């Protein structure tokens, strides 16, 4: 072979090797689409969630990936609008080899995508939002409300109020106002409140607020006139500080106001400051966790390298931590799937779904990931797509949140029948058949 021909062969071989290496590198990326709400009525709250999520994905790569598979993220902005969320889903679901899992960060988008993900075979994590009945994995194979849904939030916040009053019997004859976003998100809380009201004899004052929730004077006039003993808030974004400011203006005691977990973060209260002192909210396990090991590692391996997604000052705040938790759950489902389908391989959405259905995050594993003191163990199964039902309550002291309760566990004896009844109603409407036992291993 002449020298010129040999050089050409080497060049082609090198080019082929380069292409192979590039292809290999591409194969070693696990794609996690990110639906964001950085604009619109929930931007102050949804932005730290996205920043926390993305920083944790960067931390995973700094740790060496998921058994060597690097995470890849791409954002799509929904502005908390369902139609835009569906557009983002359609745009991202097939990119970069296919989406691993979606986290819509919106109950409205979740409702819409619940119809789509079974056909596309892409799992969906909805920690703390979406349909509560999707905890029933026997009907909702592709939905995972990991760690919490609104019926857990409603039950645990009522437990906290009952404890403060001296027991459930002390709620008999009391009136509890429920200020809620007049949307599927807001209404999702009501079934557990109604169930507990029937059990314990308290009255409910429903106070729906039209989206986006910036006009609430009429609602708080009702509160002033009807004087509920407590107010529970199922609010999100600009609606929460608006509600608290109206409560201050009408003189309703903040000590009698309790938010669910999307209604109790720093952006909700920082502008109200000391006037909001005494306001509490139930938390989906974590709160602000600036001293946690995972936060210190993110600061060291991501922000100190100039790779932080958002401002350093927000790292460890409530909603930043919820994004961190969401990313960790997404990653650990893939890690679990790799144990079955091949360690170090990129998982398909269908394989990742198996991982989310077989999560076994023990306390030792969580501690090893940096979540010591932040989260409790999570264990899912074919029938249980929730995995954990613990919560805590924190209270605003005028400048920051402090824990105001021990761990609270939602009452499974009450919630499980609600979940099953609602899931079977959905299955009947959609003409679905409950999964057979043989499907649980698929």
């Amino acid at each position: 072979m002449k020298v010129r021909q040999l050089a050409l062969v080497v060049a082609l071989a090198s080019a082929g090797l380069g292409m192979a290496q590039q292809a290999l590198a591409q194969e070693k990326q696990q794609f996690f689409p990110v639906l964001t709400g950085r604009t619109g009525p929930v931007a102050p709250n949804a932005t730290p969630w996205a920043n926390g999520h993305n920083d944790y994905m960067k931390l995973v790569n700094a740790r060496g990936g998921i058994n060597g598979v690097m995470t890849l993220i791409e954002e799509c902005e929904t502005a908390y609008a369902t139609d835009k969320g569906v557009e983002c889903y359609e745009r991202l679901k097939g990119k970069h080899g296919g989406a691993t899992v979606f986290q819509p960060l919106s109950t409205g988008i979740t409702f819409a995508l619940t119809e789509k993900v079974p056909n596309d075979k892409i799992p969906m994590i909805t920690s703390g939002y979406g349909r509560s009945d999707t905890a029933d994995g026997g009907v909702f194979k592709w939905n995972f409300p990991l760690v919490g849904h609104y019926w857990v939030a409603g039950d645990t916040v009522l437990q906290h109020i009952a404890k403060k009053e001296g027991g459930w019997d002390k709620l008999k004859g009391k009136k509890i106002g429920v200020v809620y976003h007049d949307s599927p998100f807001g209404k999702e809380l009501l079934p557990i409140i109604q169930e507990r009201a029937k059990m314990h004899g308290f009255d409910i004052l429903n106070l729906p607020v039209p989206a986006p929730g910036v006009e609430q004077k009429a609602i708080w006039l009702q509160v002033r006139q009807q004087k509920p003993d407590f107010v529970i808030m199922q609010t999100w974004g600009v609606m929460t500080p608006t509600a608290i400011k109206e409560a201050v203006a009408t003189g309703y005691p903040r000590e009698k106001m309790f938010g669910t977990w999307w209604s109790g973060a720093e952006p909700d209260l920082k502008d109200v400051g000391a006037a909001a002192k005494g306001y509490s909210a139930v938390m989906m396990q974590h709160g602000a966790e600036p001293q946690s090991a995972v936060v210190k590692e993110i600061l060291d391996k991501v922000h100190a390298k100039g790779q932080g997604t958002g401002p350093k000052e927000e790292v460890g705040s409530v909603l930043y931590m919820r994004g961190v938790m969401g990313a960790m759950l997404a990653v650990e489902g893939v890690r679990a799937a790799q144990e079955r389908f091949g360690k170090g391989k990129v998982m398909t959405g269908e394989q990742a779904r198996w991982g989310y259905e077989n999560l076994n995050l023990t306390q030792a594993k969580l501690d090893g990931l940096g979540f010591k003191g932040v989260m409790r163990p999570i264990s899912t199964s074919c029938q249980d797509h929730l995995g954990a039902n613990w919560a805590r309550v924190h209270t605003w002291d005028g400048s920051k949140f402090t824990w105001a309760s021990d761990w609270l566990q939602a009452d499974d004896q009450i919630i499980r029948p609600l979940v099953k009844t609602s899931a079977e109603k959905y299955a009947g409407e959609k003409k679905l058949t409950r999964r057979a036992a043989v499907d649980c291993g698929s």
Side-chain angles (χ1 to χ4, degrees):
M1 183 180 294
K2 295 181 178 179
V3 173
R4 185 174 178 181
Q5 288 175 310
L6 179 60
L8 178 61
V9 170
V10 171
L12 289 171
S14 298
L17 179 61
M19 291 172 65
Q21 288 175 331
Q22 184 178 3
L24 182 62
Q26 289 174 348
E27 287 173 2
K28 289 290 186 178
Q29 287 184 325
Q30 190 78 46
F31 175 44
F32 296 91
V34 188
L35 303 192
T36 57
R38 295 186 184 276
T39 62
V42 303
N45 301 63
T47 297
W49 186 96
N51 293 343
H53 175 278
N54 294 354
D55 277 357
Y56 188 81
M57 289 296 183
K58 293 172 185 175
L59 175 63
V60 170
N61 289 345
R63 289 170 171 172
I66 312 169
N67 294 314
V69 178
M70 298 294 118
T71 67
L72 175 66
I73 55 175
E74 181 175 330
E75 290 192 2
C76 186
E77 175 63 25
T78 74
Y80 197 59
T82 297
D83 57 344
K84 290 183 180 178
V86 173
E87 287 177 17
C88 284
Y89 171 83
E90 296 292 347
R91 189 184 309 160
L92 295 180
K93 69 180 183 183
K95 293 193 74 172
H96 308 298
T100 305
V101 60
F102 275 89
Q103 299 197 53
L105 202 62
S106 156
T107 293
I109 299 171
T110 298
F111 272 56
L113 297 189
T114 294
E115 308 291 320
K116 291 178 172 291
V117 291
N119 291 330
D120 293 325
K121 298 188 183 307
I122 302 172
M124 182 163 58
I125 294 175
T126 59
S127 294
Y129 59 93
R131 300 182 64 106
S132 300
D133 55 7
T134 58
D136 186 343
V139 171
F140 295 95
K141 181 174 179 177
W142 298 89
N143 296 62
F144 294 88
L146 299 172
V147 187
H149 52 59
Y150 289 131
W151 297 349
V152 171
D155 193 61
T156 49
V157 77
L158 283 170
Q159 285 186 34
H160 181 68
I161 293 171
K163 281 187 178 180
K164 284 174 66 72
E165 290 300 291
W168 285 108
D169 60 312
K170 300 297 190 297
L171 295 187
K172 187 174 183 178
K174 295 282 177 69
K175 183 187 295 180
I176 296 181
V178 183
V179 175
Y180 62 93
H181 198 276
D182 195 10
S183 67
F185 149 59
K187 295 174 183 174
E188 188 66 20
L189 181 71
L190 300 181
I192 186 63
I193 304 295
Q194 293 162 351
E195 188 69 16
R196 281 290 193 183
K198 282 191 295 185
M199 293 175 62
H200 307 294
F202 61 82
D203 297 320
I204 303 171
L205 175 63
N206 284 322
L207 299 163
V209 178
V214 293
E215 180 47 65
Q216 300 185 34
K217 291 191 180 303
I219 290 295
W220 288 94
L221 180 60
Q222 278 186 265
V223 171
R224 187 167 66 183
Q225 291 171 339
Q226 301 203 33
K227 298 181 173 55
D229 296 284
F230 305 98
V231 167
I232 294 174
M233 302 209 313
Q234 172 83 335
T235 56
W236 173 229
V238 296
M239 185 176 171
T240 307
T242 301
I244 295 171
K245 288 174 184 174
E246 291 292 347
V248 172
T250 57
Y252 191 81
R254 269 65 74 200
E255 292 79 7
K256 294 187 175 185
M257 298 175 64
F258 299 87
T260 53
W261 42 55
W262 298 106
S263 316
E266 296 88 347
D268 300 320
L269 299 166
K270 64 179 183 182
D271 291 339
V272 189
K277 183 178 180 181
Y279 173 77
S280 299
V282 67
M283 289 287 100
M284 188 168 53
Q285 297 207 9
H286 71 86
E289 309 285 356
Q291 301 305 317
S292 61
V294 67
V295 162
K296 292 176 181 176
E297 194 176 2
I298 287 172
L299 288 171
D300 179 50
K301 296 181 178 176
V302 180
H303 275 262
K305 307 292 184 185
Q307 298 172 358
T309 308
K312 181 180 176 182
E313 294 71 24
E314 93 182 354
V315 177
S317 62
V318 172
L319 292 168
Y320 179 95
M321 290 305 299
R322 199 156 305 156
V324 167
M325 182 180 73
M328 182 274 287
L329 294 170
V331 166
E332 293 310 308
V334 170
R335 197 186 307 278
Q338 285 187 357
E339 293 294 327
R340 172 168 178 169
F341 299 106
K343 189 175 286 187
K345 294 183 177 178
V346 176
M347 295 292 103
T348 65
E350 198 166 7
Q351 290 170 329
R353 192 211 67 79
W354 185 92
Y356 300 127
E357 191 165 275
N358 292 275
L359 272 181
N360 183 22
L361 293 174
T362 63
Q363 195 63 61
K365 287 182 181 176
L366 289 168
D367 293 354
L369 292 169
F371 289 81
K372 184 176 184 178
V374 178
M375 294 181 65
R376 298 183 72 131
I378 302 161
S379 177
T380 57
S381 67
C382 178
Q383 299 301 325
D384 179 13
H385 281 195
L386 176 63
N389 58 357
W390 294 92
R392 288 182 283 182
V393 172
H394 66 191
T395 298
W396 184 252
D397 70 2
S399 61
K400 66 182 184 307
F401 284 106
T402 59
W403 289 118
S405 82
D406 201 348
W407 288 95
L408 301 162
Q409 186 173 27
D411 193 331
D412 209 33
Q413 298 300 311
I414 298 170
I415 292 178
R416 189 178 290 272
L418 287 178
V419 166
K420 185 177 181 182
T421 300
S422 182
E424 291 186 343
K425 181 172 183 282
Y426 178 87
E429 292 170 352
K430 302 297 180 182
K431 302 188 186 314
L432 302 175
T433 303
R434 181 172 284 277
R435 294 167 67 193
V438 67
D439 189 50
C440 286
S442 65

